[in-house]
Amino acid sequence: MRINAVDPGHTATDLNGHTGPQTVTEGADIIVRMALVDPNGPTGGFFGNSDPVPW
């Protein structure tokens, strides 16, 4: 089991009046990538859309 935290960033949604600079599809990218991580993938990390985010 892998446990990671993700931050999709400021995404244009109904919740924020569509003020985010990225689409829902772009925001979902990191969520999908981490959901599909293989058994040898990272664990215990915090990830943004492009890179790990330092704690």
Side-chain angles (χ1 to χ4, degrees):
M1 177 172 32
R2 301 279 173 219
I3 299 173
N4 292 293
V6 296
D7 175 11
H10 191 187
T11 303
T13 65
D14 290 344
L15 186 64
N16 63 23
H18 297 276
T19 60
Q22 66 183 0
T23 67
V24 171
T25 301
E26 292 168 329
D29 181 58
I30 187 61
I31 298 166
V32 173
R33 281 191 287 142
M34 287 292 113
L36 298 175
V37 71
D38 69 37
N40 296 317
T43 189
F46 179 38
F47 296 87
N49 274 341
S50 59
D51 295 312
V53 177
W55 287 86

